[in-house]
Amino acid sequence: MLFHVTMDVHVPHGCDPVRFEQLKAAEKARFQQLQRDGTWRHIWRVVGRYSNVSIFDVEDNAQLHDLLTSLPLYPFMEVKVTALCRHPSSLHDDDR
C-alpha cells in the first residue's frame, strides 16, 4: 500500500544540541536503510520548514505505524498520513 506522509519536526526549546545531532544522525541512517529496502520510496524537503513529504510502500496501516513510531525523531514529529491508490490514467505500472 502507498501512503503520502507529511512529517513536521518541532524541536523543543532547551533540547540538548549534542543529543539532537545524534538523533538526526540515527534518523538519517534509519531513513537510508528504509529507502534501500524500498519501503521509503520518496522524500522531499518542504521549503522553509523543518518538514518533509514522503511516499511509503508498506503492507498495511500497522506496518506504517510501526515504522513511523520507530523513527528516532518521532517524539518531535507531527505526522499526517493519507492512503493512496493507483490512478487509472497513470502510465506507470509500479503505482500500486
Side-chain angles (χ1 to χ4, degrees), residues 34-73:
L34 291 167
Q35 192 173 36
R36 281 190 288 276
D37 294 344
T39 304
W40 199 324
R41 287 181 58 176
H42 302 280
I43 186 169
W44 295 271
R45 176 176 287 161
V46 178
V47 175
R49 295 179 14 211
Y50 194 164
S51 179
N52 74 71
V53 173
S54 295
I55 302 295
F56 287 86
D57 188 357
V58 293
E59 291 297 317
D60 54 28
N61 297 341
Q63 184 185 13
L64 180 63
H65 176 79
D66 291 345
L67 184 153
L68 292 172
T69 58
S70 75
L71 296 174
L73 291 177

Side-chain angles (χ1 to χ4, degrees), residues 11 19-29 50 72-73:
V11 184
R19 176 70 181 132
F20 194 70
E21 288 300 316
Q22 292 169 339
L23 286 171
K24 286 187 343 186
E27 181 88 9
K28 182 178 181 178
Y50 194 164
L73 291 177

